Amino acid sequence: MDIFVDTADLDEIKEAESWGILDGVTTNPSLIKSAVESAKGDIRLEKHIEEILKTVDGPVSLEATKVDSEGMIKEAETLYEKFNPVNDNVVVKIPINTAMDKGDDNFEGVKAIKVLSEKGIPVNCTLVMKPNQALMAAKAGADYVSPFLGRIDDYIRNQIGLERGQDYPKGTYYPEELTERIRETGLRRRISELDRSDIVYQDEPTMELYDWGNDQGIRSGIDLVWSIKEIFKNYSFDTKIIAASIRTARQARSCAEIGAEIATIPFDVIEDMMDHLKTSEGMKSFDDDVIPEYKEILED
Ligand code: G3P
C-alpha cells in the first residue's frame, strides 16, 4: 500500500519524506488553511506549494474550489499549468458532488471529472461517502477516488445517537461489526473496550435515525473502502483508491488488509504506525546486552 501524508505542513512532509516510506501528499482547502495559520503569516503560498511539489517525487493533490463544473475545470487547468511544471506530480482534487443544499446540481463534480480526464489532467475525486459515488467517478475517468472513512464512522456514530467528544474522542476506531450488531438486535446496552482505544457508546443507541436507504447498508468507513474495492475489481477499473480521513493506525492497517492501493494518513497517525512497547523493550534489552568483544568487532 502506498502511503501519502495528508497535510500541507512542509515540515511534516519533509520529515515523512526523510523516513523513506512516503509516496505522495494530499492537501485540501482546510489543510492549506491550517498550514498557513500555523506559519503565522510567514508563508508565501505559491512558493510553499512549489516546495511541497519538489519535496516529494509522487502525486500531490491540490483541490479546486468552485462548485460548478466549468469553474472547477478552469481552476484545475490553472493549478495544473502553474504547478505541474515544477515536478510533474500535480493531481487535481475534484469533489464528487458539490451540492450543498437540496436543489443544487448533484452532477457538477462528475461532469468536471469527465472533461479533465479527457484532457489528460489527473484527477483525485474527493468527498466520496458511498460506493455508488466511487463507481460514477471511475466511469467518468478519475485516476483516484478518496473515500472519507473517518467521516463515515463519525456519521454512523452520530446517526446511532453518539455525540463526538461526549461519547467518543476523534481517534477511536469504529468497528463495523458494532453497526451490524445494533442493526440485528436493536441492542440497548453498554459496550466498551472493544479495542485498546474503543469506548464506543454509553447508553440507548438506536438505529431509527440511520438512513439505510441512502447509505446502502454501509457499516463503517472501512466497509466503504471494502465495497469500493469490490466494485472496481468487478469491472477492472484502473481507478485507484486513496483511503482518506484516516484517524487511527488500526484504520490504516485495515485499509492494507482490504488492499486499498493508497492510504493518505495524517503525520501523527503515520508515527503511531511505527511504535510498539515491546519493540522498545526489546531494544533496551539488546542494548544492555552488548558485550565489549562484540562492540570491538563492530567498531573495527
Ligand atoms: O483526506 C481527507 C482528510 O483531510 C479529511 O480528514 O479527519 O478531517 O475527516 P478529516
Side-chain angles (χ1 to χ4, degrees):
M1 181 172 74
D2 280 357
I3 293 180
F4 290 5
V5 65
D6 194 24
T7 183
D9 181 315
L10 195 51
D11 292 336
E12 289 184 348
I13 293 168
K14 284 186 174 162
E15 174 134 19
E17 171 63 23
S18 77
W19 297 333
I21 48 82
L22 189 66
D23 301 295
V25 175
T26 50
T27 70
N28 60 38
S30 309
L31 293 171
I32 295 216
K33 180 178 178 211
S34 117
V36 168
E37 282 174 357
S38 60
K40 296 195 176 69
D42 190 20
I43 203 172
R44 272 196 49 227
L45 190 53
E46 202 166 318
K47 275 263 150 296
H48 186 86
I49 292 172
E50 286 175 8
E51 273 299 300
I52 294 176
L53 294 166
K54 282 190 251 172
T55 304
V56 188
D57 273 330
V60 175
S61 291
L62 302 170
E63 189 155 338
T65 64
K66 291 275 194 293
V67 294
D68 62 301
S69 56
E70 275 180 28
M72 282 186 279
I73 292 164
K74 202 155 173 287
E75 285 186 345
E77 287 172 336
T78 304
L79 285 169
Y80 197 70
E81 279 159 25
K82 194 185 276 283
F83 292 115
N84 198 53
V86 176
N87 194 22
D88 196 18
N89 55 350
V90 169
V91 172
V92 180
K93 249 179 165 178
I94 302 287
I96 181 63
N97 177 353
T98 54
M100 294 186 216
D101 289 305
K102 272 217 167 345
D104 289 352
D105 194 323
N106 281 324
F107 284 86
E108 291 302 296
V110 91
K111 283 196 271 185
I113 294 167
K114 177 84 180 157
V115 172
L116 291 169
S117 71
E118 282 170 1
K119 285 176 185 270
I121 296 182
V123 173
N124 171 2
C125 172
T126 189
L127 284 173
V128 168
M129 304 294 176
K130 60 183 187 180
N132 280 342
Q133 293 178 327
L135 172 61
M136 290 203 260
K139 282 176 66 67
D143 299 79
Y144 306 93
V145 290
S146 293
F148 273 34
L149 63 97
R151 290 195 194 182
I152 283 301
D153 285 348
D154 289 348
Y155 168 72
I156 294 175
R157 280 188 272 220
N158 291 340
Q159 294 281 317
I160 63 177
L162 297 172
E163 299 291 336
R164 151 96 53 100
Q166 195 185 330
D167 299 323
Y168 65 96
K170 186 173 181 178
T172 51
Y173 186 83
Y174 183 79
E176 69 179 60
E177 59 274 14
L178 181 61
T179 311
E180 204 56 57
R181 258 188 284 167
I182 294 166
R183 188 166 61 143
E184 279 168 4
T185 62
L187 196 65
R188 282 169 174 256
R189 66 169 207 222
R190 186 188 180 107
I191 299 177
S192 62
E193 299 294 326
L194 286 173
D195 184 57
R196 185 172 61 86
S197 58
D198 288 339
I199 304 297
V200 182
Y201 62 81
Q202 302 299 321
D203 53 32
E204 306 218 344
T206 161
M207 290 306 281
E208 277 158 34
L209 290 171
Y210 188 63
D211 182 354
W212 288 103
N214 192 38
D215 292 295
Q216 299 151 352
I218 289 300
R219 297 165 297 175
S220 72
I222 294 297
D223 191 31
L224 169 64
V225 176
W226 176 84
S227 170
I228 296 170
K229 181 82 190 162
E230 287 299 298
I231 291 168
F232 286 3
K233 220 190 297 166
N234 287 343
Y235 302 103
S236 308
F237 283 120
D238 291 334
T239 309
K240 291 183 174 163
I241 298 172
I242 304 181
S245 180
I246 288 180
R247 283 87 179 268
T248 70
R250 182 167 161 189
Q251 284 171 329
R253 184 196 90 191
S254 298
C255 290
E257 288 169 346
I258 293 166
E261 288 83 8
I262 302 152
T264 188
I265 310 176
F267 182 82
D268 57 328
V269 178
I270 302 181
E271 287 185 313
D272 281 352
M273 290 167 74
M274 187 50 85
D275 70 338
H276 195 286
L277 175 68
K278 298 305 286 181
T279 306
S280 299
E281 274 180 20
M283 259 322 288
K284 274 186 209 137
S285 71
F286 291 153
D287 196 48
D288 288 346
D289 289 344
V290 179
I291 54 176
E293 295 90 314
Y294 190 48
K295 221 177 188 167
E296 267 170 39
I297 297 172
L298 295 172
E299 281 166 4
D300 266 352

